[in-house]
Amino acid sequence: MRIRNAVLVALAIGAVMYFGLGLVFPREDLHISVKAEALVCIGGEMGYPGECKSGFPITNSLVTTVIVDLLLILMIVFGARNAQMVPRGFQNFVELVVGTFYDFAVGVDKKNVAKFFPFAATAFLLIILSNFIGLMPGAGSIGMCQPYAKAAAEGGEAEHHAANYYAERGWPLTCEPGELLVPFLRAPSADLNMTLALGLISVVLIQYFGLKALGWEYLVRFFNFREGPMFTVIGFIELISEVIRIVSFAFRLFGNIFAGEVVLVVLAHLFPYMLPLPFYAFEVFVAAMQAVIFSVLTLVFMSMATQAHGGHDDAEHGAAAH
Amino acid sequence: MEKLGINWGLLIAQMFNVIFLVWMLSRFLFNPLINLLSERTKRVEESLQEADKVREQMAAQRKENDVELAKARQEAASVMAQAQERARVQEQEIINQARAEAERIKADARANAEQELDRLAAEFKNQAASLVTETAAKVLGAELKGNHKQLIDESLSRLGRNN
C-alpha cells in the first residue's frame, strides 16, 4: 500500500511538473546529427548548418579533441613532469591510473607489454576523456547559431525548423528564427572520424606486431594452403575478420557513445525532470566501459597476433564475444 | 560515408592526433611513471629486506644481551655470596680475636692480682715477722733470744697454712 501510494504521488508530481512547467518552459525542437557539425570552414563556405560546402571543416568534435589533448598535456605537467619518488597530490592519481592499467597490460601479455602498452593506454585515456567531456553539462547544448536560410533556398528542411518557441519569443541564449544551434563541444568518440582513426591505427599496429613477432609465418593464418582446403577457407575468413575489426572497433565506440547521447537528448526532450538522471549515470558507466573495452580488446588482439598459429582460435572467439 | 560524416581530412587529422598522443604520452607520461613505479617497487622491496635484516640483527643482539645479562647476574650473585662468606669468616675471626683479647686481659688481670697478692703476702710476712717478734719480745722479754729464729719460722709456716 505504502509503495503504491508513493508511486501515485510521484506520478502526480511528475504530471504536474510536465504540464505546469511545460507551459512555462516549452521544449525546443529535437535536433540530432550523426555527423560532427562544422563550426568554421577553413578556406571554404558554410552550407547547411554544421556542414561545409567546401574547405576544411573545423568540427565541434575536433575542438573537443584539442581540449582532450590539452587535458592530457596538463596531466603530464601536473602529474608526471616533476614526478617524485614519494608521490604527492595529483601525481598519486596519475600513478594510480597508469599503474593500474599497466598492471592489467602485464596480466594480458607480460612479454610484450612494453610494445603494446603505449597505444592501448593512449587509447584508454583519449577515449575516457572524450566520453566524459561529451557527458559534461554544456557539451551539446551550448553553441553557436548558424542560419539555414541558404539551405532553405536550395529546398532544405527550413520549414521543419521554423517553429522555434524560444526564438519566436526572443529568449536569451537562444537562436533567432531561421538559425540552428551548433554545439561547440561534441564527444570526439561520437564522431566516426575519430573512432575510425583509432580503429585503423589499432588494426595496423596489430598486424605490425604480428608480422614483427612471427615474420612471414604470421601470414600463414590468412593464406593457409598447407593443411587442406578447409583451412584455406578459414584463413580467408580470418583475413576478412581482421579487416572487419577496423569497422567493429570504430562502430562499437561510436555507436555506444552516440547512442548514449541520443538517449539522453531524447529523454530530456520527452520529460526533462529527474527522468534522465538514471540514464545519465548509466552513460557515465558506459563511457568508462567503452574506454576499457577498446583498450583491452586492442591489447588482447595484439597479444594474439604475436602468438604462433596453433591454439589461438579459442582466445579469438572468447574475446570477440564483447 | 558522407552521410556518416566521414571526411578524409578529419580522419587523417584524427590519426595524426592519435599518433602524436601515443608519442607524447609514452615519452612524457608512461615511460617516466612506469620507470618510477618499478624503481619504487625495487626500493620498497630493498627497504623491507633491510628492515627484516635489522630486525633479525636486533633479535640476535637481544638474545646476546640476555645471555650477557644472565651471566652478569650470576657473577654478581657469586660475588655477593663470596663477600658474605668472607664477611662471615671475618666476623668469626673478629669475634675470636675479641674473645682472645678478653681472655688475655682477664688473664693479665688475674696475674696482676696474684702478683699483688703475693707481694702483699710477702710484705705481710715481713711485717708479721717483725710484729710477732716485737709482740713476743714485749710479752716474753729477752727470753727468746736464743732460739727465736726457729720459733718465728714455725709460727710463720702455721700462718701460711691458715692462709
Side-chain angles (χ1 to χ4, degrees), chain A residues 107 135 211 318:
Chain A
L135 286 175
L211 276 171

Side-chain angles (χ1 to χ4, degrees), chain B residues 30-132:
Chain B
F30 301 146
N31 289 345
L33 275 191
I34 286 162
N35 289 342
L36 186 79
L37 288 177
S38 60
E39 174 75 12
R40 187 181 301 150
T41 309
K42 213 171 73 192
R43 274 208 202 172
V44 168
E45 266 167 13
E46 274 173 5
S47 51
L48 281 179
Q49 278 172 354
E50 193 74 12
D52 275 350
K53 215 190 285 172
V54 166
R55 205 173 295 141
E56 259 166 46
Q57 273 176 355
M58 263 165 65
Q61 188 73 43
R62 194 179 295 158
K63 208 177 272 176
E64 211 170 280
N65 287 353
D66 283 353
V67 168
E68 210 65 7
L69 198 66
K71 216 194 276 177
R73 247 179 222 148
Q74 219 169 1
E75 217 159 284
S78 82
V79 164
M80 199 106 113
Q82 263 174 7
Q84 270 172 348
E85 183 62 34
R86 203 178 299 148
R88 205 162 47 232
V89 168
Q90 224 157 21
E91 186 191 0
Q92 203 59 47
E93 228 165 65
I94 288 166
I95 290 171
N96 287 350
Q97 243 170 18
R99 221 168 251 161
E101 186 80 359
E103 254 349 275
R104 197 178 55 75
I105 289 167
K106 224 152 84 180
D108 275 2
R110 188 172 291 146
N112 276 352
E114 263 167 25
Q115 219 173 337
E116 193 71 8
L117 206 62
D118 283 353
R119 202 178 52 81
L120 282 176
E123 203 167 305
F124 176 71
K125 216 188 267 178
N126 288 344
Q127 282 187 1
S130 60
L131 202 65
V132 167

Side-chain angles (χ1 to χ4, degrees), chain A residues 58-193:
Chain A
I58 301 298
T59 59
N60 42 16
S61 76
L62 201 63
V63 170
T64 317
T65 306
V66 172
I67 292 175
V68 170
D69 288 6
L70 291 177
L71 285 177
L72 286 172
I73 289 170
L74 285 181
M75 195 166 162
I76 289 173
V77 169
F78 290 107
R81 198 183 47 155
N82 286 319
Q84 302 293 317
M85 193 44 87
V86 178
R88 230 173 274 282
F90 190 59
Q91 193 193 336
N92 279 308
F93 173 73
V94 177
E95 272 183 13
L96 177 75
V97 173
V98 175
T100 308
F101 195 77
Y102 187 75
D103 286 344
F104 181 81
V106 169
V108 171
D109 194 332
K110 197 173 166 58
K111 199 177 63 179
N112 293 313
V113 68
K115 278 190 276 175
F116 300 167
F117 181 72
F119 176 72
T122 303
F124 176 75
L125 291 177
L126 177 59
I127 294 170
I128 202 165
L129 279 177
S130 302
N131 295 353
F132 281 160
I133 285 185
L135 286 175
M136 264 177 20
S141 53
I142 296 175
M144 64 193 291
C145 295
Q146 292 184 0
Y148 49 84
K150 286 177 200 162
E154 293 159 20
E157 301 168 67
E159 303 295 319
H160 178 68
H161 291 291
N164 187 328
Y165 179 92
Y166 295 95
E168 279 164 10
R169 261 145 242 242
W171 279 59
L173 300 173
T174 52
C175 294
E176 295 292 315
E179 285 186 337
L180 199 63
L181 182 84
V182 175
F184 287 129
L185 298 178
R186 178 189 176 108
S189 35
D191 175 8
L192 260 176
N193 290 308

Side-chain angles (χ1 to χ4, degrees), chain A residues 282-303:
Chain A
F282 179 66
E283 289 312 323
V284 171
F285 168 73
V286 168
M289 207 59 223
Q290 285 305 317
V292 173
I293 287 172
F294 190 99
S295 47
V296 168
L297 275 184
T298 301
L299 275 177
V300 171
F301 288 154
M302 282 175 175
S303 173

Side-chain angles (χ1 to χ4, degrees), chain A residues 35 37-38 41 45-54 57 146, chain B residues 2:
Chain A
K35 309 176 200 180
E37 300 99 324
C41 296
E45 208 185 334
M46 286 299 280
Y48 185 77
E51 273 178 49
C52 285
K53 259 196 227 157
S54 57
Q146 292 184 0
Chain B
E2 182 59 33

